[in-house]
Structures are given as structure tokens and as C-alpha cells.
Amino acid sequence: MEEIGIVIVGGGIAGLATSLALHRKGIKSVVLERAEKVRSEGAGIGTLTNGWRALDQLGVSDRLRLTSNLIHKARTMLIEDGKKKREFVLNIKDEARCIRRNDLVDALADALPDGTIRLNSQIVSIQEDEITSFPIVHLSNGNTIKAKVLIGCDGANSIVSDYLRLGPIKAFACRAVRGFTNYPNGHGFPHELLRMKTGNVLVGRLPLNDNQVFWFVVHMQDSQHNGKDQKSIANVTLKWVDKLSEDWKEMVKRCDVESLTLTHLRYRSPWEIMFGKFRRGTVTVAGDAMHVMGPFLGQGGSAALEDAVVLARCLARKLGPDHGDLLKDCSVKSIGEAIDEYVSERRMRLVGLSTQTYLTGRSLQTQSMVVRIMFIVLLVLLFGRDQIHHTKYDCGRL
């Protein structure tokens, strides 16, 4: 049985960011990724001020700024019967950019020491050592690892969150398609986030630079299409935008088909984040495994980056960089105290984000004007008139 100090399950944004944050604090970790390569597939991630503050702490922000332009404005339009009924415009004073997911993943992975990431390493079960109470991880290849700390960053279908006995995640009755479209001669769109809601369809576009646009299409009621391959996802999306203007239809027609992803939007309920037990012994979670949420605030990726900074900071305060690879002098008690500090610091931040995301999603999804107004009133009562206050959050220094 191999012994490792800190094991991180999942080589996505949360897992790589957590490993990098620990590395910058002088603490080694191993990332177990089930795929044959680091998962860089996917589309764009809207990254707001709070996300850039976390990226600054991780030391990869300057590299990412080179490939993404600033977003200066956010516009939301409500369309009825083909005519604009309502429009909300927000000028963005702080930093907001859209970055490619693969650019972010590559930047995080490249900053890690060689040998940190182990590919083709899928965990199948976790058990607690009867003598030491540390977790033992069993892999599909038959290998076994005893860890002092186990951090689950393995997404919405997390084996680690199951081990923590967290409740099952829930699903919105809608699906989303995300993709990129390249315009070799320039797209001519202003550098703003534009969202349009018409009927059961919510669409949005966000330029990365002068030639590339990230876009998404959310169908609020269509839960039938699974998108078995990239071509079928493109055909489904074209069907969803059939009643929109030509520039939207053209954007889907000209898209990079390989960039398309179709997902059933899911979330962990705010009350479960409020009361959930995110530690069992020396095991915890971060990223979507902890707080998967809908994309309606654009905070999923940034929240995962915040998790990484806070978790590494809390562990470093208790463990320090001088315990060696195996953390030999660290007890279950000291590690547990560090994880409890992390959970305590993150809990109310995540409750706020998940609640605002949930209410925003429900207000967009409902067909009833009365119900929509009720959700909007709740949003104002809970979060005030500054509905983007969540972007000003600072997770602090690493």
C-alpha cells in the first residue's frame, strides 16, 4: 500500500487549483485524474473580479490575461413576440473577462511540479483505516493508497461527496449548450456580456477577443435531448435558436463543433450547503463536488478557485511546509481542525452564491409572471439592489 500525505481526486479546475495553492505554500500533493490526459475540454468561463483575485494568488493570472479581453458591460434583454420588452444594462467597473477553460486548466497544470498529476487513476471506493482513521483509496487498477488528507474535487458525481454522506444533487428542468465560434475577419460585437430571454430559451454571448466568441443556449423546459455526439448537439441547438435573429443562428451554424458541450443543469441546494457536513475525518471536498450550482451568476469556476486558496491557507496554518511528503507529524485532530476552518470560512459565502443562483435560475425558468415577480422580490430582499455584490468578494491572500 502506497502512503501519500495529500491526495486530491480530480484533475479539473478545483483539483489543479488546490494542488497549485498547496504547492505555493510549500506543501506537496498528488492529483488523481481518471482520464488519459488533463481534462481541458469545454468552452468558456466568465471570470469576474473575485475569480481574478484568486488567480492572482495562484500566480497564473498574468498568463490568462494575455488571451482574453476585458468585458465592460452586461446587458440582459427580455424578448416577447419578437420585440424587445425590457432591457437591463450594467456597466462593469471591475475586472471581468471570459477565458477558455482549456487555457485555465493548462495554466494550472503547467505551474505544478512534474509527477504531481497521475493520469488513468480512477478511484472506486474509500474506506477509513481502523487503526489510524486516515482514508484508504482503492483505484480501478487495483492499487491502494493511504492518505493523510483526501480532497474530493471530482465534480458533481463525486465519489468523495458520497463518502461524506452528502445528499444527492438536484437538477433544474433545463439543459445548456456551450460553444465557441471563430470569426477570422472579426466578429464586430461589443465586448460585453449579452443575454436574451425569449420564451423558453435563454441565450448569451461573451467575446474572448476580436475574433472568438463564447456563447451558450439554455432551454428551460427541454430535458429530452441528450446529444449523443457533437453533430446532434449542434442540430439540437439550431432548433432551439430557430426563432432568433440571423446573427444568433449564424453563430451556431459557424461554431467549432468540437467545442460543444450539452449538460443537464444541476445544483446542490442552499439549505444542504448550510447544514451539510463537509468533513469526515481528514476527508473534504471542493469545487462542484461541494457546491455545484447553475450558471446563472457565472460563479461556478471562480468559487472553485476561491475554495483552493482558502483550503490551502487553512491547511498551511496547521501543517506548515516542514512536515515532509507524508505529513508524518500531523494528527487526525490537527488536520480536522484545519478542514473545519476551511468549511467554516467557505460555508456562508457558498450559501449566498447558491441561494442567489437558485433564485435567479427559478425566476428565468418559470412561465408564471406572478412566480417570477416573487423570485425577483426575494432576490432584492436577500441581496439588495446591488445584485453583483458577489463579484466584489475577496478570498484573501494565500
Side-chain angles (χ1 to χ4, degrees), residues 79-96:
I79 309 294
E80 291 186 7
D81 299 324
K83 298 180 180 179
K84 182 169 66 176
K85 183 177 181 181
R86 206 172 290 117
E87 181 176 7
F88 307 94
V89 180
L90 176 68
N91 292 315
I92 301 174
K93 297 179 182 179
D94 298 312
E95 186 171 16

Side-chain angles (χ1 to χ4, degrees), residues 85-303:
K85 183 177 181 181
R86 206 172 290 117
E87 181 176 7
F88 307 94
V89 180
L90 176 68
N91 292 315
I92 301 174
K93 297 179 182 179
D94 298 312
E95 186 171 16
R97 302 172 189 263
C98 181
I99 54 180
R100 300 178 189 89
R101 186 186 186 279
N102 58 344
D103 286 350
L104 174 55
V105 168
D106 289 345
L108 295 170
D110 290 347
L112 289 170
D114 291 342
T116 300
I117 305 170
R118 297 187 183 182
L119 303 173
N120 293 306
S121 300
Q122 181 171 3
I123 69 167
V124 292
S125 65
I126 306 165
Q127 69 180 89
E128 185 178 290
D129 187 285
E130 294 181 357
I131 299 174
T132 65
S133 296
F134 288 121
I136 298 174
V137 178
H138 298 275
L139 305 182
S140 59
N141 60 11
N143 292 341
T144 304
I145 298 173
K146 179 187 286 187
K148 287 289 183 72
V149 183
L150 181 64
I151 305 169
C153 300
D154 45 342
N157 298 314
S158 168
I159 293 177
V160 182
S161 65
D162 289 342
Y163 175 77
L164 295 177
R165 303 188 184 99
L166 297 174
I169 58 175
K170 298 175 176 59
F172 289 102
C174 51
R175 295 188 180 236
V177 174
R178 301 173 177 90
F180 287 119
T181 300
N182 293 301
Y183 296 82
N185 298 319
H187 51 68
F189 300 133
H191 284 274
E192 64 179 17
L193 166 63
L194 174 60
R195 295 187 298 181
M196 290 175 46
K197 173 73 164 48
T198 176
N200 288 321
V201 176
L202 171 69
V203 297
R205 69 176 180 227
L206 189 58
L208 277 83
N209 48 50
D210 294 334
N211 299 99
Q212 192 171 43
V213 176
F214 164 62
W215 53 264
F216 58 86
V217 181
V218 181
H219 198 292
M220 299 298 178
Q221 303 296 330
D222 191 341
S223 59
Q224 302 302 315
H225 295 286
N226 293 315
K228 297 179 181 179
D229 53 50
Q230 303 302 103
K231 186 174 181 180
S232 65
I233 294 174
N235 291 335
V236 167
T237 310
L238 278 172
K239 176 184 176 183
W240 289 350
V241 301
D242 183 56
K243 295 183 180 179
L244 297 180
S245 59
E246 285 301 319
D247 58 334
W248 289 96
K249 288 186 279 189
E250 187 68 17
M251 188 165 59
V252 175
K253 289 177 183 177
R254 295 178 53 176
C255 75
D256 174 7
V257 175
E258 293 303 313
S259 73
L260 296 180
T261 58
L262 188 151
T263 54
H264 195 167
L265 300 183
R266 294 171 291 176
Y267 65 97
R268 192 174 294 285
S269 64
W271 42 92
E272 188 173 8
I273 293 177
M274 172 70 84
F275 300 110
K277 293 186 177 181
F278 294 110
R279 177 177 76 88
R280 180 179 172 187
T282 60
V283 180
T284 190
V285 284
D288 280 356
M290 186 182 199
H291 51 69
V292 62
M293 61 185 78
F296 307 109
L297 294 187
Q299 282 286 10
S302 293

Side-chain angles (χ1 to χ4, degrees), residues 11-32:
I13 292 171
L16 296 176
T18 300
S19 184
L20 178 56
L22 289 166
H23 170 62
R24 289 180 63 82
K25 297 298 288 185
I27 301 174
K28 293 185 178 182
S29 64
V30 169
V31 178
L32 303 179

Side-chain angles (χ1 to χ4, degrees), residues 273-274 343-353:
I273 293 177
M274 172 70 84
V343 172
S344 177
E345 184 171 342
R346 293 301 292 154
R347 192 183 297 276
M348 293 314 297
R349 164 65 170 165
L350 296 172
V351 167
L353 284 178

